[in-house]
């Protein structure tokens, strides 16, 4: 089984890169030759990836969240999987390349640095932690996708304002759709982050004797959650539109990333396992 | 093949002459009996950009100039000169018809209306019994070329008029046009075109505002829209997601100061302003306002030019389709020419078979006769299968007409088909007379 895991570990970035190239070709060539088939490549990649994650779970007897590079692989999967679901639901196929790019990066880094023989602390074998991390990752995937659509919205917005009718104008969906995609992925991301926070609040105090609600990571996450929550409520109840919503969403994403970097590297937190 | 086409179009004559020669449906119906004197089958296509006569002459010594004279006698246009007409014959005429139906011969390349006009023209001739097997097959192929060009190439894609380009930009901003409201300022030809495009795209609420209220009412009625009196226009701006202005005003109708309060009332909800008037109706400064997408003729022309270039790049692919359909059509047509020979050959063998069967009819039992009859039928079928298939193949390929002719002549000479057919027919006739 280990040989298969090692083999799939090498195959996965190749598959992601290939899928990315197919999506990029379809976007730039403007010939719609691969419009239908590219989704099949994405499905195959995701299928192989989920098989790889299951093999790892069985082989090592824990969910693949015990080191940064397992997390990266899971993040690559969750970003692409979230996009795949979004593409299936909306049938908007022209934006995949901008999202699959993140999966290519995360999976490539994971493939190069992941280890196949390592000791795992008992706390990381806990199933609730698995749920906590997976929901958090899916949540962050949601807000990442939301940010990508936000950036695409701003690019198309600027192109339209400047009367530039090139590739971006021809290939991207309308501003209204980009705004909706950004908002829907944000709402899904927010919901999953809420699940992750809820599980964390229930489980962490019992798992860690030095647990504290003033921990920088908990405060940072709570602020991110509050920022996104405010944005969603404003959009729904104060009728915010277009650029305003997108800028709010992008600001939330930047804050979330900075908060993650700060709490993972600079701050002293009990909430650090790797 | 003696198929011919006579055309006057945007490449050969100015619009005044084309318009003067344009034939309405009723005129075509009246003109076809005139054409019947000279053509055995024919179709007349007449649009604002072209008048075309396609047909098969009754006689081999037919003079195409007489067809032009007939047309000009029917609809006299003094200024027209002979050089305004172009004539195509045989393959050239077929290729021209296919190019017309594919839209690559149109003033606006990839024009989507022409295919419908070709179909309609054929139907008129069909109703007047002016079409036969050849023209029926030819126009079927022409329609097929048109449909294939649309589905297999990008010849009809993208906006190629300013008013349609405006709608294309609107579609890049809003997803569901059926939930949007539009204001059309002006009620002239351009405004009407834009209103019709928006209506076709499903915009739910279209309102017209024009200085002359009667014209606004007329256009509103056409697209099931509403009207706003011109003097109250600025008070209602915030109610519209799309504003298209196409008046002949010399001054700005809408300024930045008019738009700012409207945008504020819309709480940042985007508004698209399309200024398709010359001189412009809307102050260009409005493009600096957040969530206002302003486009004028110059910016929309960029889209039109890009799309026209894309369509031009598709012409070689369309021409390939035309060639494929021409090969298919001429394969069918050439096969028509060998059909009588094949038929004669089969009849010749069948007659020998019948004669020989007749000789033994009273010498054997009915059962044996039936068996021998069946056996000889199969035998002749097998003997003639290969020559028939080969002859058809040579004909359908259309590649070697000389070979086809020599094969046909050889068959006729070897089996004395012409002589045989004549003798047998005269024998039959004399039997019938007795």
């Amino acid at each position: 089984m280990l040989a298969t895991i090692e083999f799939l570990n090498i195959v996965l970035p190749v598959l992601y890169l290939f899928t990315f190239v197919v999506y990029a070709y379809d976007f730039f060539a403007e010939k719609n030759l691969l419009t239908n088939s590219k989704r099949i490549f994405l499905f195959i990649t995701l299928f192989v990836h989920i098989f790889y994650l299951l093999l790892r779970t069985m082989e090592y007897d824990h969910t693949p969240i015990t080191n940064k590079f397992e997390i990266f692989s899971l993040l690559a999967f969750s970003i692409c999987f979230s996009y795949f679901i979004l593409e299936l639901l909306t049938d908007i196929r022209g934006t995949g390349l901008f999202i699959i790019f993140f999966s290519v990066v995360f999976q490539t880094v994971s493939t190069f640095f992941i280890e196949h023989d390592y000791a795992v602390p008992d706390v990381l074998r806990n199933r609730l932690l698995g749920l906590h991390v997976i929901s958090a990752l899916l949540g962050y995937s949601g807000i990442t996708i939301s940010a990508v659509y936000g950036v695409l919205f701003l690019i198309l917005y600027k192109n339209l304002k400047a009367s530039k009718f090139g590739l971006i104008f021809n290939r991207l969906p309308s501003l209204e759709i980009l705004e909706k995609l950004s908002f829907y992925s944000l709402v899904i991301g927010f919901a999953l982050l809420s699940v992750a926070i809820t599980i964390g609040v229930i489980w962490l105090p019992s798992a860690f004797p030095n647990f504290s609600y003033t921990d920088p990571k908990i405060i940072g996450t709570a602020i991110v959650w509050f920022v996104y929550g405010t944005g969603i409520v404003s959009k729904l109840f104060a009728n915010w539109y277009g650029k305003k919503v997108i800028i709010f969403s992008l600001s939330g994403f930047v804050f979330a990333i900075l908060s993650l970097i700060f709490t993972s590297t600079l701050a002293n937190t009990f909430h650090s396992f790797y | 093949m003696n198929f011919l086409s006579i055309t006057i179009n945007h490449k050969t004559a100015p619009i005044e002459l084309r318009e003067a020669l344009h034939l309405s449906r009723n005129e075509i119906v009246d003109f076809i009996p005139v054409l019947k004197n000279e053509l055995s089958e024919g179709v007349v296509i007449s649009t604002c950009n072209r008048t075309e006569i396609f047909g098969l002459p009754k006689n081999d010594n037919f003079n195409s100039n007489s067809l032009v004279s007939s047309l000009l006698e029917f609809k006299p246009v003094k200024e027209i000169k002979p050089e305004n007409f172009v004539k195509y014959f045989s393959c050239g005429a077929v290729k021209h018809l296919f190019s017309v139906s594919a839209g690559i011969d149109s003033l606006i390349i990839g024009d989507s209306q022409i295919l419908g006009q070709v179909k309609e023209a054929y139907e008129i001739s069909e109703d007047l019994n002016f079409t036969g097997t050849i023209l029926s097959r030819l126009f079927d192929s022409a329609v097929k070329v048109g449909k294939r060009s649309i589905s297999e190439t990008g010849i009809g894609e993208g906006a190629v008029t300013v008013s349609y380009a405006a709608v294309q930009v609107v579609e890049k901003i809003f997803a569901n046009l059926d939930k949007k409201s539009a204001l059309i300022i002006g009620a002239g030809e351009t405004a009407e075109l834009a209103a019709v495009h928006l209506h076709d795209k499903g915009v739910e609420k279209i309102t017209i505002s024009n200085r002359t209220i009667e014209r606004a009412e007329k256009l509103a009625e056409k697209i099931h829209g509403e009207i706003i009196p011109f003097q109250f226009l600025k008070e209602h701006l915030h109610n519209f997601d799309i504003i298209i202005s196409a008046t002949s005003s010399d001054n700005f109708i809408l300024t930045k100061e008019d738009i700012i309060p409207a945008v504020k009332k819309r709480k940042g909800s985007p508004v698209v302003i399309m200024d398709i008037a010359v001189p412009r109706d809307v102050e260009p400064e409005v493009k600096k306002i957040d969530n206002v997408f302003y486009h004028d003729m110059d910016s929309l022309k960029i889209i039109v030019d890009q799309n026209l270039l894309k369509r031009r790049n598709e012409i070689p692919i369309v021409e390939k389709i035309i060639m494929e359909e021409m090969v298919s059509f001429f394969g069918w047509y050439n096969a028509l020419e060998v059909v009588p020979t094949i038929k004669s050959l089969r009849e010749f063998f069948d007659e020998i078979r019948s004669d020989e069967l007749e000789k033994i009819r009273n010498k054997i039992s009915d059962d044996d006769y039936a068996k021998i009859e069946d056996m000889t039928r199969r035998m002749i079928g097998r003997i003639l299968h290969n020559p028939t298939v080969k002859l058809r193949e040579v004909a359908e390929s259309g590649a070697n007409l000389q070979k086809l002719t020599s094969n046909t002549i050889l068959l006729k000479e070897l089996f004395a088909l012409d002589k045989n057919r004549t003798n047998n027919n005269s024998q039959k006739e004399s039997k019938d007379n007795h």
Side-chain angles (χ1 to χ4, degrees):
Chain A
M1 192 184 284
L2 202 60
T4 314
I5 291 172
E6 285 179 9
F7 172 70
L8 290 180
N9 186 44
I10 295 163
V11 165
L12 273 173
V14 178
L15 280 177
Y16 273 111
L17 188 64
F18 182 71
T19 308
F20 172 76
V21 170
V22 170
Y23 270 79
Y25 174 80
D26 190 57
F27 184 83
F28 290 106
E30 292 190 73
K31 284 181 181 168
N32 296 332
L33 294 174
L34 299 170
T35 305
N36 295 322
S37 51
K38 65 183 181 181
R39 188 182 279 177
I40 298 166
F41 295 122
L42 180 58
F43 175 77
I44 292 167
T45 306
L46 287 171
F47 185 79
V48 172
H49 202 155
I50 203 161
F51 183 61
Y52 167 78
L53 293 171
L54 283 172
L55 282 184
R56 276 198 88 91
T57 308
M58 285 191 285
E59 175 68 20
Y60 298 110
D61 195 27
H62 60 77
T63 39
I65 54 162
T66 59
N67 62 58
K68 276 178 190 158
F69 304 109
E70 279 185 341
I71 294 275
F72 275 15
S73 184
L74 201 58
L75 199 56
F77 173 79
S78 60
I79 287 173
C80 253
F81 179 73
S82 309
Y83 169 74
F84 183 65
I85 299 296
L86 208 60
E87 192 186 290
L88 283 181
L89 290 175
T90 60
D91 203 33
I92 293 161
R93 309 175 187 204
T95 54
L97 112 112
F98 303 100
I99 289 158
I100 297 167
F101 170 77
F102 286 91
S103 294
V104 175
V105 173
F106 281 123
Q107 187 53 47
T108 306
V109 174
S110 169
T111 293
F112 275 107
F113 298 104
I114 201 164
E115 291 172 1
H116 300 293
D117 185 18
Y118 53 92
V120 178
D122 277 346
V123 69
L124 296 183
R125 291 183 185 277
N126 191 292
R127 299 290 173 204
L128 268 178
L129 177 73
L131 270 178
H132 170 68
V133 174
I134 288 170
S135 52
L137 284 178
L138 284 168
Y140 275 105
S141 301
I143 61 170
T144 305
I145 291 172
S146 168
V148 171
Y149 282 125
V151 171
L152 293 177
F153 176 97
L154 288 182
I155 293 172
L156 181 60
Y157 179 93
K158 284 200 178 297
N159 272 256
L160 282 165
K161 288 285 270 183
S163 302
K164 284 184 186 166
F165 304 112
L167 190 70
I168 293 290
F169 175 81
N170 288 329
R171 301 303 283 168
L172 285 186
S174 69
L175 283 179
E176 204 168 75
I177 286 176
L178 286 172
E179 187 195 330
K180 273 184 187 164
L181 287 173
S182 178
F183 183 68
Y184 291 157
S185 23
L186 178 64
V187 170
I188 294 166
F190 179 78
L192 289 163
L193 271 184
S194 306
V195 171
I197 289 170
T198 310
I199 295 170
V201 167
I202 294 166
W203 173 71
L204 283 173
S206 60
F208 295 92
N210 56 342
F211 173 83
S212 163
Y213 282 109
T214 57
D215 183 86
K217 204 163 203 171
I218 291 176
I219 293 171
T221 310
I223 295 172
V224 168
W225 185 86
F226 182 75
V227 169
Y228 277 123
T230 310
I232 291 168
V233 169
S234 304
K235 162 80 180 161
L236 292 176
F237 298 104
N239 288 330
W240 278 16
Y241 290 105
K243 203 176 156 191
K244 205 176 194 177
V245 182
I246 295 297
I247 287 176
F248 200 90
S249 159
L250 285 175
S251 311
F253 180 71
V254 171
F255 184 80
I257 295 299
L258 289 177
S259 161
L260 263 183
I261 293 168
F262 175 74
T263 52
S264 304
T265 55
L266 302 173
N268 185 16
T269 169
F270 77 92
H271 197 276
S272 177
F273 311 118
Y274 315 119
Chain B
M1 187 190 191
N2 56 351
F3 181 61
L4 72 92
S5 156
I6 293 171
T7 174
I8 178 167
N9 58 40
H10 60 95
K11 293 175 186 169
T12 67
I15 189 158
E16 301 78 36
L17 298 186
R18 297 190 322 255
E19 278 175 352
L21 198 64
H22 170 68
L23 300 172
S24 67
R25 188 189 168 94
N26 289 339
E27 283 173 323
I28 292 173
V29 169
D30 292 339
F31 182 50
I32 281 177
V34 179
L35 284 178
K36 280 183 176 175
N37 296 326
E38 297 177 80
L39 302 175
S40 57
E41 297 177 38
V43 171
V44 180
I45 300 170
S46 191
T47 71
C48 52
N49 276 323
R50 63 177 68 246
T51 295
E52 313 239 0
I53 300 170
F54 294 94
L56 291 164
K58 277 182 172 172
N59 307 312
D60 287 342
N61 54 355
F62 168 79
N63 181 2
S64 57
N65 290 331
S66 66
L67 212 56
V68 175
S69 307
S70 302
L71 176 61
L72 293 176
E73 271 172 36
F74 181 81
K75 187 136 189 185
V77 180
K78 278 182 188 171
E79 296 81 4
I80 284 189
K81 295 169 190 165
E83 53 264 35
N84 293 129
F85 290 92
V86 176
K87 295 158 194 165
Y88 298 97
F89 300 94
S90 190
C91 285
V94 173
K95 191 180 179 193
H96 174 67
L97 171 63
F98 288 2
S99 301
V100 169
S101 63
I104 60 170
D105 198 62
S106 298
L107 180 60
I108 296 170
I109 294 165
D111 173 25
S112 57
Q113 290 181 328
I114 189 69
L115 185 59
Q117 288 160 338
V118 169
K119 277 187 209 169
E120 196 186 345
Y122 175 74
E123 281 164 9
I124 295 172
S125 286
E126 198 179 30
D127 289 346
L128 297 171
N129 296 320
F130 196 32
T131 57
T133 317
I134 295 173
L135 236 56
S136 168
R137 172 77 184 218
L138 183 63
F139 274 78
D140 275 351
S141 300
V143 171
K144 194 177 170 193
V145 167
K147 285 181 178 171
R148 281 188 66 193
S149 301
I150 292 165
S151 62
E152 294 175 26
T153 76
I155 197 74
E157 285 177 9
V160 286
T161 60
V162 168
S163 51
Y164 201 70
V167 175
Q168 197 184 334
V169 175
V170 168
E171 282 184 311
K172 268 292 163 202
I173 293 158
F174 301 121
N176 298 318
L177 290 185
D178 53 342
K179 289 174 185 163
K180 303 297 171 197
S181 54
L183 169 68
I184 310 289
I185 307 172
E189 198 180 331
T190 315
E192 183 179 334
L193 210 55
V196 169
H197 283 320
L198 286 176
H199 185 253
D200 291 347
K201 286 283 177 186
V203 175
E204 190 190 29
K205 191 184 159 198
I206 302 177
T207 305
I208 315 291
S209 187
N210 191 51
R211 281 188 212 276
T212 318
I213 200 146
E214 292 77 22
R215 292 187 70 185
E217 282 171 346
K218 201 176 164 191
L219 178 55
E221 196 183 320
K222 193 171 181 181
I223 51 154
H224 309 292
E226 295 168 7
I227 54 161
I228 291 179
F230 195 76
Q231 60 271 31
F232 302 127
L233 174 70
K234 292 176 185 177
E235 295 166 26
H236 294 273
L237 289 177
H238 64 279
N239 292 322
F240 300 100
D241 305 293
I242 304 155
I243 298 171
I244 297 183
S245 192
T247 75
S248 51
S249 167
D250 290 330
N251 304 311
F252 289 142
I253 291 172
L254 298 175
T255 62
K256 194 177 175 186
E257 284 65 41
D258 299 323
I259 302 297
I260 288 172
V263 171
K264 271 185 189 162
K265 278 186 191 171
R266 289 176 63 79
K267 294 180 182 173
S269 177
V271 58
V272 185
I273 300 174
M274 296 291 171
D275 188 351
I276 50 177
V278 180
R280 289 184 286 195
D281 286 343
V282 184
E283 187 184 8
E285 286 290 296
V286 299
K287 71 164 74 168
K288 291 181 181 166
I289 306 169
D290 251 4
N291 294 308
V292 172
F293 298 93
Y294 167 83
H295 295 279
D296 58 17
M297 286 288 263
D298 282 350
S299 59
L300 294 173
K301 190 92 184 1
I302 296 170
I303 298 178
V304 170
D305 291 344
Q306 280 176 356
N307 289 334
L308 280 174
L309 184 66
K310 277 185 195 166
R311 287 188 178 195
R312 269 188 217 109
N313 292 338
E314 294 293 304
I315 289 177
I317 309 171
V318 174
E319 283 175 337
K320 197 168 165 257
I321 292 172
I322 290 174
M323 284 311 293
E324 285 170 10
E325 292 304 327
M326 279 181 75
V327 168
S328 167
F329 172 75
F330 279 104
W332 171 84
Y333 180 78
N334 291 333
L336 276 186
E337 293 189 343
V338 297
V339 165
T341 309
I342 292 170
K343 202 178 163 197
S344 298
L345 188 67
R346 286 194 168 272
E347 282 174 359
F348 171 71
F349 275 79
D350 272 339
E351 276 163 15
I352 294 172
R353 177 175 151 266
S354 303
D355 286 349
E356 294 305 315
L357 282 171
E358 198 57 38
K359 286 175 190 169
I360 59 163
R361 185 170 189 93
N362 299 323
K363 295 176 185 170
I364 55 173
S365 67
D366 285 350
D367 280 354
D368 286 344
Y369 182 83
K371 280 177 191 167
I372 292 170
E373 189 183 30
D374 189 46
M375 182 198 72
T376 50
R377 186 184 300 113
R378 278 187 280 117
M379 189 187 285
I380 286 174
R382 287 182 68 179
I383 290 168
L384 292 182
H385 176 74
N386 207 39
T388 310
V389 169
K390 288 288 171 195
L391 205 58
R392 274 188 187 277
E393 274 177 6
V394 174
E396 283 174 10
S397 73
N400 197 339
L401 281 175
Q402 205 176 352
K403 190 179 174 187
L404 177 70
T405 314
S406 63
N407 283 356
T408 313
I409 291 170
L410 187 66
L411 271 178
K412 284 178 179 172
E413 282 182 1
L414 282 175
F415 297 104
L417 293 180
D418 289 340
K419 200 178 162 188
N420 258 304
R421 304 302 326 133
T422 320
N423 289 343
N424 287 337
N425 286 342
S426 55
Q427 278 171 13
K428 272 182 191 170
E429 278 167 19
S430 63
K431 273 182 191 173
D432 291 343
N433 290 337
H434 285 294

